[in-house]
């Protein structure tokens, strides 16, 4: 890209805005049809739904004028076939850049607590409710809508387009790296747009410039070779669940900051999060104090966070008067940008072993790891995206972080090291992705479609 500051031509922006407005009812219908497919990729769910979802996405992309559309898969590390991904392409003219547009068509399980049927979309006001309505079938519709709008406005830029819609992101993308390696030439791009993040709030767009990494695994505490009578033997030895509780209590200091030595802290973000908004969006109960020090945004985006997300021990219903011999907890450690996951896993294990209470046997098993992401803030691609977003929303985008992880971003960077990666999205703080009553704000989705169409024209003009 050149270094000149991009700005969409006003007449092009308004022509595209009118095209998006005309097309949006049909796009909404396409989103509703996609959400009705319960495409959960996890092993416990019917794989036919993911296959049907891939077929539906492929048909939509064929209808958007992309001449090459394939449903592909690669092997997972365990040798099983991965879930179907859709790759649709319009190759670049000679000398022109290529943009990859990423989304995923699989969704989280519905879970409990919905006010409506999670796979029968319902519109209430400006929000469309349903599992996957925001995460990430709206991302597919954003790509689809941008291509349709450019064609309808006769403004299709001289740029190659590859749409890559993954089928197992919510299952940890187990075949993703193999897929990238196997189809490297097919997927190669100068700019990669990942539509799987969130905007700052309704009416204010965002570019995600940092993502925390991840280490999770199991810590097990053992004190006895087998359970023994709590009356006859209790007193000299404490049960494993008590000792596990004492061990996990060492993971945070009195202020609530992570107390594991050797973990990285990144600089404080330029923007902060309103405490009342955080409490409302996170459903914090009245009277519960917030943990940690520093800004709220820093605590969510640029500092480590450590949670106990599960415990294996005798249930209350099955409890007997015995001393529990062993107990296990699953820990989830979110990593600040700049942190090496392997080093973080070693630091966590060292802390757990060093703090074994009463000499209990402590073991740590690392399961999943993911690298954090920190985007350069002032690249030509980022400037083009900011200009497109500002034109679509009428206000400048905010650079934000995300406390969660998108581990496949690291794979994209390693396989395509020369590509500029833009992490965008259609969600907002009320979208409740992964939770009950997930929704997308339709007005924001309309703006995302316009912004992506403008971004494609910007890339063509400045790369």
């Amino acid at each position: 890209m050149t270094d000149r500051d991009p700005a969409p031509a006003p007449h092009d922006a308004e022509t595209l805005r009118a095209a998006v407005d005309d097309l949006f009812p049909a796009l909404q219908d396409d989103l509703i049809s996609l959400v009705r497919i319960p495409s959960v990729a996890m092993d416990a769910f019917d794989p036919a739904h993911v296959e049907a979802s891939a077929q539906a996405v492929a048909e939509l992309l064929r209808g958007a004028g992309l001449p090459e559309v394939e449903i592909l898969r690669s092997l997972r590390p365990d040798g099983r076939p991965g879930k179907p991904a859709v790759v649709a392409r319009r190759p670049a003219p000679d000398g022109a850049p290529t943009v990859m547009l990423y989304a995923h068509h699989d969704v989280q399980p519905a879970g409990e607590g919905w006010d409506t049927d999670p796979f029968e979309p319902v519109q209430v006001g400006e929000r469309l409710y349903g599992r996957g309505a925001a995460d990430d079938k709206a991302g597919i519709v954003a790509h689809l809508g941008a291509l349709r709008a450019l064609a309808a406005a006769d403004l299709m830029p001289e740029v190659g387009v590859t749409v890559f819609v993954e089928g197992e992101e919510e299952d940890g993308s187990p075949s993703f790296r193999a897929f990238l390696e196997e189809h490297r030439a097919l997927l190669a791009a100068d700019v990669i747009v990942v539509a799987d993040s969130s905007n700052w709030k309704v009416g204010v767009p965002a570019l995600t410039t940092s993502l925390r990494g991840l280490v999770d695994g199991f810590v097990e505490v053992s004190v006895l070779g087998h359970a023994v009578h709590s009356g006859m033997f209790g007193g000299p030895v404490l049960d494993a669940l008590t000792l596990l509780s004492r061990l996990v209590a060492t993971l945070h200091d009195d202020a609530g900051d992570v107390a594991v030595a050797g973990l990285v802290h990144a600089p404080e973000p330029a923007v902060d999060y309103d405490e009342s908004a955080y409490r409302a969006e996170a459903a914090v109960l009245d009277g519960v104090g917030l943990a940690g020090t520093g800004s709220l945004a820093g605590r969510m985006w640029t500092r480590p966070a450590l949670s106990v997300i599960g415990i294996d021990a005798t249930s209350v219903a099955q409890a007997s008067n015995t001393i529990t011999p062993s107990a296990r907890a699953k820990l989830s450690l979110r990593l600040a940008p700049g942190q090496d996951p392997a080093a973080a896993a070693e630091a966590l294990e060292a802390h757990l072993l060093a703090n074994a209470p009463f000499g209990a046997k402590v073991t740590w098993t690392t399961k999943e790891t993911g690298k954090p992401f920190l985007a350069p803030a002032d690249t030509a691609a980022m400037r083009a995206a900011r200009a497109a977003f500002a034109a679509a929303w009428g206000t400048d985008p905010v650079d934000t972080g995300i406390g969660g992880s998108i581990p496949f971003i690291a794979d994209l960077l390693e396989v395509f090291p020369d590509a500029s990666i833009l992490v965008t999205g259609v969600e907002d703080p009320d979208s409740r992705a992964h939770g009950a009553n997930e929704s997308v704000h339709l007005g924001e989705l309309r703006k995302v479609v316009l912004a992506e169409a403008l971004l494609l024209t910007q890339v063509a003009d400045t790369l």
Side-chain angles (χ1 to χ4, degrees):
M1 281 186 170
T2 66
D3 288 331
R4 65 187 178 87
D5 190 27
H11 62 278
D12 287 354
E14 291 314 306
T15 300
L16 283 169
R17 191 185 305 274
V20 171
D21 288 345
D22 289 343
L23 292 165
F24 198 77
L27 289 170
Q28 184 174 334
D29 288 343
D30 290 330
L31 177 58
I32 288 170
S33 295
L34 289 175
V35 172
R36 284 182 173 142
I37 305 172
S39 51
V40 182
M42 299 167 188
D43 288 343
F45 294 82
D46 186 349
H49 296 307
V50 182
E51 301 290 338
S53 180
Q55 292 289 346
V57 171
E59 285 303 310
L60 288 171
L61 292 173
R62 288 189 187 99
L66 294 172
E68 301 176 13
V69 181
E70 300 177 87
I71 296 176
L72 303 168
R73 67 189 80 217
S74 292
L75 295 179
R76 299 181 177 200
D78 62 7
R80 294 184 298 149
K83 295 297 191 291
V86 183
V87 179
R89 298 176 69 237
R90 187 183 68 229
D94 289 344
T98 295
V99 179
M100 180 208 290
L101 305 175
Y102 169 92
H104 63 87
H105 66 91
D106 67 307
V107 298
Q108 282 282 318
E112 298 179 347
W114 285 79
D115 294 335
T116 59
D117 182 338
F119 295 110
E120 185 51 53
V122 174
Q123 182 176 349
V124 179
E126 277 286 285
R127 304 197 76 92
L128 182 71
Y129 291 83
R131 173 59 82 225
D135 184 17
D136 186 31
K137 290 177 177 177
I140 300 169
V141 169
H143 300 330
L144 182 69
L147 295 173
R148 286 182 183 172
L150 287 165
D154 196 23
L155 289 171
M156 191 66 72
E158 290 289 303
V159 63
V161 174
T162 301
V163 182
F164 171 27
V165 184
E166 187 192 354
E168 55 186 16
E169 193 273 344
E170 300 292 8
D171 196 28
S173 301
S175 68
F176 189 87
R177 182 57 180 259
F179 193 94
L180 294 186
E181 298 283 3
E182 185 176 346
H183 302 291
R184 184 191 299 255
L186 192 69
L187 298 172
D190 301 284
V191 177
I192 299 173
V193 179
V194 177
D196 194 21
S197 187
S198 180
N199 288 306
W200 182 240
K201 60 182 178 180
V202 172
V204 181
L207 288 164
T208 300
T209 57
S210 71
L211 298 163
R212 287 196 292 199
L214 173 69
V215 168
D216 73 16
F218 304 107
V219 58
E220 185 165 6
V221 174
S222 300
V223 292
L224 298 170
H226 57 81
V228 296
H229 196 290
S230 61
M232 296 183 65
F233 294 97
V237 64
L238 296 177
D239 62 273
L241 189 52
T242 294
L243 295 183
L244 175 62
S245 301
R246 293 173 69 100
L247 177 59
V248 298
T250 70
L251 296 173
H252 298 85
D253 63 22
D254 290 343
D257 289 311
V258 177
V260 177
L263 298 182
V264 169
H265 290 200
E268 289 284 326
V271 295
D272 201 4
Y273 214 90
D274 178 74
E275 180 174 340
S276 60
Y278 174 84
R279 285 181 172 274
E281 291 159 12
V284 179
L285 298 178
D286 290 344
V288 174
L290 301 185
T293 56
S295 70
L296 275 178
R299 280 178 264 175
M300 291 192 294
W301 303 342
T302 62
R303 290 171 175 255
L306 184 52
S307 302
V308 179
I309 60 173
I311 288 181
D312 288 336
T314 306
S315 69
V316 172
Q318 298 295 321
S320 62
N321 282 321
T322 54
I323 298 174
T324 303
S326 63
R328 187 173 71 149
K330 186 172 184 180
L331 306 183
S332 175
L333 174 61
R334 300 291 178 167
L335 311 177
Q339 175 74 69
D340 174 62
E346 292 176 1
L348 179 56
E349 180 177 24
H351 177 97
L352 293 167
L353 296 181
N355 287 276
F358 290 90
K361 180 182 177 182
V362 172
T363 57
W364 166 256
T365 303
T366 300
K367 299 299 288 185
E368 184 179 358
T369 63
K371 293 182 179 179
F373 166 71
L374 184 62
D378 193 31
T379 63
M382 193 70 79
R383 291 195 295 275
R386 288 198 183 98
F389 278 46
W393 267 268
T395 188
D396 290 335
V398 175
D399 285 359
T400 65
I402 295 291
S405 306
I406 309 180
F408 67 75
I409 296 288
D411 291 323
L412 288 171
L413 285 168
E414 290 173 7
V415 176
F416 305 114
D418 297 326
S420 296
I421 296 182
L422 303 173
V423 182
T424 69
V426 297
E427 298 171 31
D428 64 80
D430 292 325
S431 289
R432 300 189 185 182
H434 294 200
N437 301 317
E438 177 183 347
S439 69
V440 64
H441 189 285
L442 295 168
E444 293 298 282
L445 177 56
R446 188 187 303 247
K447 292 184 177 71
V448 171
V449 172
L450 174 59
E452 188 168 296
L454 291 169
L455 175 60
L456 289 171
T457 66
Q458 294 290 89
V459 170
D461 291 343
T462 57
L463 187 62

